[in-house]
DNA sequence: CCCCCCCC
C-alpha cells in the first residue's frame, strides 16, 4: 500500500498562493474521483476538462486537471484510486475561491483500494473550504451559469517574492484565466504571430493580428485590433517571452480556434506587454501529436499536431482561388511516421516557395487542418506552425526509426486504394452507405463533396438514356436535327450523323437505402457494355430487345465514385449525385484489399 | 470587431 503525503491537502486548502507553488511538488496523493466537467459550449470541439479529487489519506480537496493531461484519462493511465505523485501544480484565486490546477503528475500505482477515510479539511476564515470549489471549477468552464460577476470582492493574490514575481503582481497560469478576474499577469511565450490582416464587410473594416501565447499550463490566443495593431504588433516577436496584463478575457469561439482553451484574449489599448528575459520556465512549444494512421478518426476541418519524416517534396505549384480569383503558390509534402502511414500536407504562399529541405528532415507541424480530399490530407493554415528538425524526443525517435528501418517500409496512403489518388477516385477505405450519404448531408454545402459507395442498380429511367451529341472530339454538345444533317451550335458545323452519348438517371440501392445517380457516357458504357450509338440503334429497331437490355442492367452491383452537389432546377434546390467513376466489382481486387487491411497496423 | 486559409 502506498504511503500518501498526509497533510498536503490541508496545506493546499489553507496556504497563501505564493507558498502553494513551492510546496506543491513531490507529494503522493490518491485520486478519489475523476469527472468530466460539463462542456462550456455546444461545440463538439470544446476541450474536455476534468475535475479531480485528491486525497492524502486524511483530507481531500478538489482540483482541475490541466487539459494537457487529458490523455492520461483517455488512455486509462489514471483512474479512480490511482496513486500519483504531483510534479507540478498551480493555484490561483478566482474571486473568493481557490482553484488548484494539476499541471503534471506521474503514476505510482493503480488498482489500489481507497486509502484511509479522508474528510474535507476544516475551513478557515481566510481560505474557503473546498466545498465551494465545485462552483469555482464550473465557473471556469461555464461562465454563463455564474451569477456573481462583479459582486464578490476578489481576494488580491499575494505578491510573489520569487524570481518570477513582478512588480507586486502574481503570475497566473494561462489555464487559470477567466473573465471573472482581471487583475492578473501572465508570463507567456509567443509561439506564433500572424501577419497583419485587414477585413472589410458590412459591419465595417479594420485590421488585426493574432498571437498564440503559451506557458507551462496552457495556451491562449490573443487578438489585437486596429490601433492596438500599431501599438503591439512590432513589440511581439515569435519565440520571446512577455509579461502580459490588462487584456480582456473573452469566451473563445471554438469553431475558429484550434487551441485548447475556452477563452481568448482581446488585447486592448491599455494592455501591458513587457518582454521577460527570464524564460527558462516557459516551454518552447507544446505538441499533442496524433499518429498519421489515426487521422481517419479526425473530422474534416479539425486541427491537429503531427510529426513526420518528409518523404517527398513536391514541386512548387500554384492554384487560383475560386473565392478571390487570386493566384496562390502551393507545395505538397508527403510525410510518414511510425504508424506506417503517409499523408499529403500542403504548404501555401511564402512557405511553399521557400521550402527547400532536400535531406528528408523530421518536421513537426502544430495546428494543421485536416481535409478529406480522397481520404485525408493536411493543410497549413495561418495559425499553423512548422518546425523543421525540432529538438524534441519524438523527433529523435522518428529519425532513428526512419534511418534504420523506415526507409524500407511501405506506407499506407490515406488518399486512396488501388486506383490511385485521382480526383474522385474510388476509395475503399472511405466507403459510405447511401443512408450515411444522406444523413450526413453530403453536398448540402456550397461545395461539391465526393464519396465512394458500392450499390446495386435497381432501375434505369429508360425513356431517354442518350442524346445526339457532336462527334467533334471533346465537344459532346447536343446537336440539332436539321433534316439534312445534325448541327452543332458550338462548333458551328453540320454532321451527317450524330454520335449518341449516354445521359442517364438510375436508382441504386444498398442495404441502407437508395439514391438516384446521374451518369454520363462512361457510366452507360459500364452498365450496358455497348456504346450509346449501339443501344440507340437497338431501341429504334427492336423495342423488346431494348427492354431486355434494360432489365439485364438491373440487379448489377458496381463500385461508384460520386460527386454530391446542390443544384437548383425549376426553382427547386436539391442535392444531385453525379457518377464520376463506375467500376464493375473485381473480386480479386476486393480480396486484396481485405488482405491489406489485415496487414495494416490497425488490424494488429 | 476576425474567423479567409484557397486547388485538384
Amino acid at each position: 500500500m502506498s504511503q500518501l503525503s498526509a497533510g498536503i491537502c490541508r496545506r493546499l486548502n489553507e496556504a497563501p498562493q505564493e507558498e502553494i507553488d513551492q510546496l506543491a511538488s513531490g507529494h503522493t496523493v490518491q485520486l478519489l474521483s475523476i469527472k468530466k466537467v460539463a462542456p462550456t459550449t455546444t461545440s463538439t470541439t470544446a476541450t474536455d476538462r476534468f475535475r479531480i479529487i485528491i486525497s492524502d489519506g486524511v483530507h481531500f480537496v478538489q482540483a482541475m486537471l490541466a487539459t494537457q493531461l487529458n490523455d492520461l484519462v483517455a488512455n486509462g493511465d489514471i483512474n479512480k484510486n490511482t496513486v500519483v505523485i504531483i510534479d507540478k501544480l498551480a493555484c490561483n484565486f478566482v474571486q473568493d475561491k481557490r482553484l488548484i490546477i494539476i499541471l503534471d503528475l506521474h503514476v505510482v500505482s493503480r488498482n489500489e483500494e481507497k486509502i484511509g477515510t479522508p474528510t474535507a479539511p476544516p475551513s478557515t476564515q481566510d481560505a474557503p473550504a473546498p466545498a465551494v470549489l465545485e462552483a469555482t471549477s464550473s465557473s471556469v468552464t461555464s461562465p454563463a451559469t455564474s451569477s456573481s460577476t462583479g459582486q464578490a470582492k476578489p481576494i488580491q493574490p499575494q505578491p510573489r517574492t520569487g524570481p518570477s514575481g513582478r512588480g507586486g503582481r502574481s503570475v497566473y497560469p494561462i489555464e487559470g484565466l477567466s473573465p471573472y478576474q482581471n487583475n492578473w499577469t501572465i508570463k507567456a511565450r509567443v509561439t506564433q504571430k500572424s501577419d497583419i490582416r485587414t477585413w472589410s464587410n458590412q459591419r465595417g473594416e479594420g485590421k488585426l493580428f493574432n498571437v498564440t501565447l503559451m506557458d507551462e499550463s496552457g495556451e491562449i490566443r490573443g487578438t489585437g485590433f486596429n490601433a492596438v495593431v500599431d501599438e503591439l504588433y512590432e513589440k511581439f516577436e515569435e519565440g520571446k517571452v512577455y509579461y502580459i496584463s490588462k487584456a480582456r478575457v473573452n469566451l473563445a469561439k471554438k469553431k475558429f480556434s484550434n487551441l485548447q482553451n475556452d477563452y481568448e484574449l482581446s488585447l486592448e489599448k491599455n494592455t501591458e506587454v513587457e518582454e521577460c528575459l527570464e524564460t527558462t520556465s516557459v516551454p518552447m512549444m507544446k505538441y499533442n501529436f496524433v499518429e498519421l494512421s489515426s487521422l481517419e478518426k479526425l473530422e474534416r476541418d479539425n486541427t491537429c499536431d503531427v510529426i513526420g519524416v518528409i518523404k517527398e517534396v513536391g514541386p512548387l505549384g500554384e492554384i487560383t482561388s475560386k473565392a478571390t480569383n487570386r493566384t496562390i503558390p502551393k507545395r505538397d509534402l508527403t510525410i510518414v511516421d511510425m504508424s506506417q502511414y503517409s499523408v499529403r500536407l500542403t504548404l501555401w504562399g511564402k512557405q511553399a516557395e521557400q521550402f527547400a529541405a532536400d535531406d528528408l528532415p523530421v518536421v513537426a507541424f502544430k495546428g494543421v487542418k485536416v481535409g478529406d480530399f480522397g481520404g485525408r490530407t493536411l493543410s497549413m493554415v495561418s495559425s499553423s506552425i512548422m518546425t523543421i528538425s525540432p529538438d524534441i524526443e519524438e523527433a529523435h525517435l522518428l529519425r532513428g526509426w526512419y534511418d534504420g528501418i523506415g526507409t524500407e517500409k511501405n506506407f499506407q496512403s490515406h488518399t486512396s486504394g488501388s486506383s490511385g489518388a485521382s480526383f474522385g477516385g474510388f476509395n475503399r477505405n472511405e466507403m459510405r452507405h447511401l443512408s450515411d450519404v444522406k444523413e450526413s448531408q453530403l453536398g448540402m454545402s456550397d461545395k461539391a463533396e465526393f464519396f465512394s459507395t458500392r450499390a446495386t442498380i435497381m432501375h434505369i429511367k429508360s425513356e431517354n438514356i442518350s442524346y445526339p451529341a457532336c462527334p467533334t472530339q471533346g465537344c459532346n454538345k447536343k446537336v440539332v436535327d436539321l433534316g439534312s444533317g445534325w448541327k452543332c451550335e458550338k462548333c458551328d458545323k453540320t454532321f451527317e450523323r450524330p454520335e449518341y452519348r449516354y445521359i442517364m438517371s438510375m436508382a441504386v440501392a444498398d442495404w441502407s437505402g437508395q439514391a438516384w445517380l446521374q451518369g454520363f457516357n462512361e457510366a452507360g458504357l459500364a452498365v450496358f457494355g455497348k456504346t450509346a450509338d449501339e443501344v440507340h440503334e437497338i431501341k429504334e429497331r427492336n423495342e423488346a430487345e431494348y427492354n431486355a437490355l434494360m432489365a439485364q442492367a438491373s440487379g448489377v452491383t458496381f463500385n461508384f465514385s460520386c460527386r454530391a452537389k446542390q443544384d437548383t432546377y425549376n426553382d427547386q434546390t436539391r442535392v444531385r449525385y453525379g457518377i464520376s467513376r463506375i467500376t464493375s466489382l473485381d473480386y480479386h481486387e476486393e480480396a486484396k484489399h481485405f488482405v491489406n487491411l489485415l496487414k495494416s497496423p490497425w488490424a494488429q
Side-chain angles (χ1 to χ4, degrees):
Chain A
M1 187 159 111
S2 301
Q3 184 68 46
L4 302 184
S5 304
I8 183 63
C9 286
R10 185 165 181 169
R11 288 161 76 192
L12 284 174
N13 196 49
E14 292 174 3
Q17 179 173 31
E18 71 274 13
E19 276 175 38
I20 287 178
D21 291 7
Q22 276 141 44
L23 65 79
S25 297
H27 291 285
T28 308
V29 296
Q30 184 172 36
L31 307 179
L32 298 185
S33 155
I34 303 174
K35 275 199 178 133
K36 194 192 283 191
V37 175
T40 319
T41 66
T42 52
S43 163
T44 53
T45 56
T47 306
D48 286 340
R49 280 169 185 266
F50 293 95
R51 179 183 306 141
I52 59 179
I53 296 177
I54 60 179
S55 157
D56 60 14
V58 179
H59 292 121
F60 61 78
V61 292
Q62 295 199 48
M64 296 299 290
L65 201 62
T67 49
Q68 68 208 12
L69 301 180
N70 281 2
D71 278 353
L72 293 176
V73 181
N75 299 338
D77 291 335
I78 55 173
N79 282 304
K80 188 180 162 106
N81 291 345
T82 300
V83 173
V84 303
I85 292 177
I86 296 170
D87 294 316
K88 202 175 279 179
L89 67 67
C91 179
N92 63 59
F93 291 76
V94 183
Q95 301 201 12
D96 56 346
K97 298 150 193 168
R98 61 175 66 200
L99 173 58
I100 296 162
I101 301 164
I102 306 297
L103 296 172
D104 205 1
L105 60 78
H106 65 275
V107 172
V108 176
S109 67
R110 275 179 280 265
N111 306 320
E112 295 251 7
E113 298 286 308
K114 184 175 172 184
I115 300 169
T117 47
T119 57
S123 61
T124 64
Q125 207 175 356
D126 297 329
V132 301
L133 273 168
E134 185 81 25
T136 305
S137 304
S138 51
S139 82
V140 170
T141 50
S142 309
T145 63
S146 170
S147 58
S148 56
T149 315
Q151 287 171 8
K153 263 206 185 120
I155 288 180
Q156 293 299 323
Q158 300 294 315
R160 255 197 190 186
T161 50
S164 57
R166 172 184 173 263
R169 244 181 296 166
S170 164
V171 171
Y172 267 63
I174 285 175
E175 181 93 359
L177 291 177
S178 86
Y180 307 108
Q181 233 300 352
N182 49 25
N183 196 2
W184 48 259
T185 299
I186 56 169
K187 177 180 169 182
R189 193 182 296 276
V190 173
T191 55
Q192 191 260 358
K193 181 175 90 163
S194 76
D195 291 335
I196 296 172
R197 222 173 57 236
T198 57
W199 84 88
S200 160
N201 57 26
Q202 309 94 300
R203 270 179 251 155
E205 55 186 50
K207 59 181 175 179
L208 72 127
F209 77 104
N210 301 112
V211 283
T212 305
L213 303 165
M214 183 195 63
D215 70 8
E216 61 185 5
S217 78
E219 294 172 287
I220 194 163
R221 185 168 81 152
T223 304
F225 290 96
N226 302 321
V228 177
V229 177
D230 303 327
E231 198 141 313
L232 292 181
Y233 186 77
E234 292 304 326
K235 201 160 185 174
F236 281 119
E237 279 181 53
E238 272 181 18
K240 288 193 172 175
V241 174
Y242 302 86
Y243 289 116
I244 298 163
S245 58
K246 294 186 179 147
R248 213 171 57 213
V249 183
N250 294 326
L251 204 53
K253 293 180 192 110
K254 297 306 271 189
K255 201 169 88 146
F256 304 122
S257 170
N258 58 337
L259 295 185
Q260 302 223 326
N261 201 316
D262 289 338
Y263 302 112
E264 58 186 32
L265 292 181
S266 178
L267 307 172
E268 307 287 321
K269 198 95 176 97
N270 64 338
T271 294
E272 289 171 8
V273 176
E274 185 189 317
E275 191 181 348
C276 170
L277 298 173
E278 196 285 297
T279 66
T280 47
S281 65
V282 188
M284 295 299 290
M285 193 70 83
K286 240 192 264 295
Y287 292 106
N288 184 205
F289 292 122
V290 299
E291 293 198 312
L292 300 183
S293 61
S294 58
L295 288 176
E296 320 230 352
K297 293 181 205 148
L298 296 180
E299 282 174 48
R300 169 204 166 113
D301 292 346
N302 278 178
T303 55
C304 65
D305 305 345
V306 296
I307 185 165
V309 177
I310 307 289
K311 194 150 192 289
E312 271 175 56
V313 180
L316 180 65
E318 60 177 39
I319 57 109
T320 306
S321 162
K322 279 177 184 158
T324 61
N325 229 21
R326 271 203 318 230
T327 309
I328 302 139
K330 68 159 236 176
R331 189 192 297 273
D332 287 338
L333 308 176
T334 304
I335 66 170
V336 299
D337 74 1
M338 277 145 99
S339 71
Q340 297 185 43
Y341 261 75
S342 70
V343 72
R344 191 183 80 185
L345 189 150
T346 306
L347 309 179
W348 303 97
K350 274 201 191 88
Q351 238 161 4
E353 289 171 342
Q354 291 166 1
F355 191 89
D358 51 2
D359 52 347
L360 310 184
V362 169
V363 181
F365 294 90
K366 186 173 162 57
V368 284
K369 191 165 125 176
V370 178
D372 61 0
F373 184 78
R376 282 290 178 278
T377 57
L378 296 171
S379 175
M380 291 284 283
V381 295
S382 71
S383 54
S384 308
I385 304 168
M386 173 174 73
T387 310
I388 297 173
S389 303
D391 185 17
I392 55 176
E393 193 190 351
E394 290 93 336
H396 301 307
L397 278 173
L398 194 52
R399 180 84 266 159
W401 173 80
Y402 188 79
D403 292 346
I405 53 165
T407 41
E408 287 157 32
K409 293 277 180 200
N410 281 319
F411 293 90
Q412 174 97 29
S413 156
H414 272 293
T415 44
S416 174
S418 58
S419 60
S422 66
F423 183 65
F426 184 72
N427 185 348
R428 279 190 184 72
N429 294 317
E430 283 280 306
M431 296 272 278
R432 312 287 289 257
H433 304 303
L434 293 175
S435 64
D436 176 38
V437 166
K438 291 189 174 171
E439 274 159 28
S440 50
Q441 310 204 326
L442 237 49
M444 297 281 260
S445 61
D446 294 336
K447 283 183 192 166
E449 292 181 284
F450 297 85
F451 64 94
S452 299
T453 194
R454 178 171 304 143
T456 304
I457 296 176
M458 308 305 286
H459 177 72
I460 298 169
K461 271 194 186 158
S462 61
E463 306 81 60
N464 197 16
I465 62 161
S466 64
Y467 68 97
C470 173
T472 307
Q473 178 81 30
C475 175
N476 301 342
K477 273 275 178 207
K478 188 174 180 175
V479 290
V480 187
D481 187 2
L482 302 174
S484 56
W486 301 76
K487 176 157 194 207
C488 174
E489 304 280 358
K490 189 182 169 206
C491 300
D492 198 22
K493 276 187 201 159
T494 303
F495 302 92
E496 196 178 321
R497 62 176 62 224
E499 180 184 283
Y500 280 86
R501 291 180 66 84
Y502 288 105
I503 178 162
M504 42 198 268
S505 196
M506 55 173 128
V508 302
D510 65 11
W511 63 269
S512 73
Q514 71 92 41
W516 283 94
L517 306 184
Q518 319 303 318
F520 293 95
N521 214 42
E522 190 207 3
L525 289 170
V527 170
F528 296 110
K530 290 177 166 38
T531 64
D533 266 335
E534 288 173 292
V535 174
H536 181 258
E537 189 270 326
I538 291 169
K539 189 183 180 189
E540 300 282 283
R541 178 166 52 80
N542 184 340
E543 191 77 19
E545 193 181 333
Y546 176 73
N547 289 340
L549 201 62
M550 285 291 148
Q552 225 174 55
S554 287
V556 185
T557 303
F558 292 90
N559 285 333
F560 293 96
S561 315
C562 295
R563 177 181 186 272
K565 176 107 172 61
Q566 243 179 24
D567 184 56
T568 304
Y569 191 74
N570 287 343
D571 285 338
Q572 268 209 328
T573 298
R574 57 174 171 178
V575 178
R576 282 161 62 95
Y577 306 112
I579 300 169
S580 48
R581 281 205 66 185
I582 173 171
T583 43
S584 300
L585 292 195
D586 175 343
Y587 290 98
H588 180 255
E589 199 58 44
E590 301 297 339
K592 226 166 67 186
H593 174 245
F594 285 131
V595 172
N596 282 338
L597 278 184
L598 288 170
K599 282 187 192 156
S600 75
W602 39 285
Q604 306 299 314

